[in-house]
Amino acid sequence: MRNPLLSMLLASALALPAALQAQVQPAPENVLQLQATGSVEVQQDLLALTLAATRDGADAGAVQAQLRTVLEAALAEAKRAAQPGQLDVRTGAFNVYPRYGRDGRINGWAGRAELVLEGRDFPRISQTAARLQGLTLAGVGFALSREQRTRVEAEAQAQAIERFKARAAELARGFGFNGYTLREVSVTADEPGFAPRPRAMAMAMEAKAATADAAVPVEAGRSTVTVTVSGSVQLR
């Protein structure tokens, strides 16, 4: 006598390959993968000056207190010239660390505190930096403001899209097709950050500003924003 449960399991097992075959989609044909880029070069319009104070002594608390005093005074002075977007003021790193002698024991403490002036108003930033007492120039960097980057990124994106479309149409004709339709596409953009000035140049700028007792001389360079469009098209 045939077992009903066994018969049902057997029938299910035989039906499974057929069901799996029905679910398998045929591999797409005449699909082309490609990418195109657009690049726009633009003047950097954002400046960041990093100013630093260093102190050392036998007592960690005393070193920290000295740095805090210098930083608070400089911060108060810088904030008087602050203007959103044109000159923004923020503190940077603040560290106190031990110094070691030849015997490996702690023989003193050193510390460093930073103040960062950042914005689009280069003269305001450089003149403010020159007025801050007890701080020296530690770094100079240039970048693109958010508004500038957004505008330029839109130009580069339009470039990349047009090049992607032109390339797809050209390849479709080359392969003997009348045209194409988009299957999938992705758009990516680089994020150019601050480009630091070489340390030697920053030191020269610092020395010039110190001897002339004038605003720190700054001159921006250029940045390139690149957008890449990649994806696949169905030739038809």
Side-chain angles (χ1 to χ4, degrees):
M1 182 177 177
R2 178 176 293 183
N3 188 322
L5 179 59
L6 181 60
S7 299
M8 187 168 58
L9 290 174
L10 214 55
S12 299
L14 292 173
L16 187 58
L20 288 175
Q21 281 186 347
Q23 293 177 2
V24 174
Q25 298 294 328
E29 296 181 350
N30 304 324
V31 174
L32 188 65
Q33 303 281 344
L34 69 154
Q35 72 174 32
T37 60
S39 297
V40 176
E41 188 180 68
V42 67
Q43 185 79 19
Q44 296 163 332
D45 66 335
L46 194 65
L47 167 66
L49 294 184
T50 301
L51 306 167
T54 57
R55 294 291 186 274
D56 57 74
D59 181 70
V63 171
Q64 181 174 318
Q66 291 171 17
L67 288 173
R68 186 170 60 248
T69 299
V70 173
L71 188 60
E72 287 175 350
L75 190 58
E77 174 68 24
K79 281 184 174 180
R80 282 197 281 269
Q83 185 177 348
Q86 302 303 310
L87 169 54
D88 295 308
V89 183
R90 60 181 173 86
T91 56
F94 191 113
N95 299 308
V96 176
Y97 43 89
R99 293 182 315 187
Y100 294 91
R102 292 182 178 180
D103 58 0
R105 295 182 179 181
I106 296 176
N107 63 6
W109 296 83
R112 175 186 170 97
E114 293 181 349
L115 184 67
V116 181
L117 309 180
E118 180 180 307
R120 295 192 298 268
D121 191 336
F122 289 14
R124 180 188 293 262
I125 294 170
S126 60
Q127 289 164 12
T128 301
R131 291 197 303 269
L132 301 183
Q133 301 297 315
L135 298 175
T136 57
L137 183 64
V140 182
F142 295 94
L144 299 180
S145 65
R146 181 179 300 176
E147 297 81 4
Q148 182 85 310
R149 186 172 65 247
T150 299
R151 180 184 65 80
V152 175
E153 191 174 295
E155 293 180 18
Q157 178 177 291
Q159 252 185 38
I161 290 173
E162 289 305 313
R163 289 173 180 173
F164 183 94
K165 290 161 60 178
R167 183 64 173 157
E170 177 187 355
L171 290 172
R173 290 192 299 269
F175 283 110
F177 292 85
N178 293 324
Y180 68 91
T181 55
L182 281 175
R183 286 177 56 88
E184 58 182 23
V185 66
S186 66
V187 180
T188 57
D190 64 354
E191 292 292 337
F194 275 98
R197 277 289 174 90
R199 180 56 184 159
M201 185 178 295
M203 291 174 65
M205 292 168 63
E206 178 182 355
K208 181 177 179 182
T211 55
D213 192 23
V216 177
V218 292
E219 184 177 350
R222 301 181 70 81
S223 286
T224 301
V225 175
T226 302
V227 174
T228 301
V229 175
S230 58
S232 61
V233 298
Q234 178 73 56
L235 302 180
R236 55 178 177 78

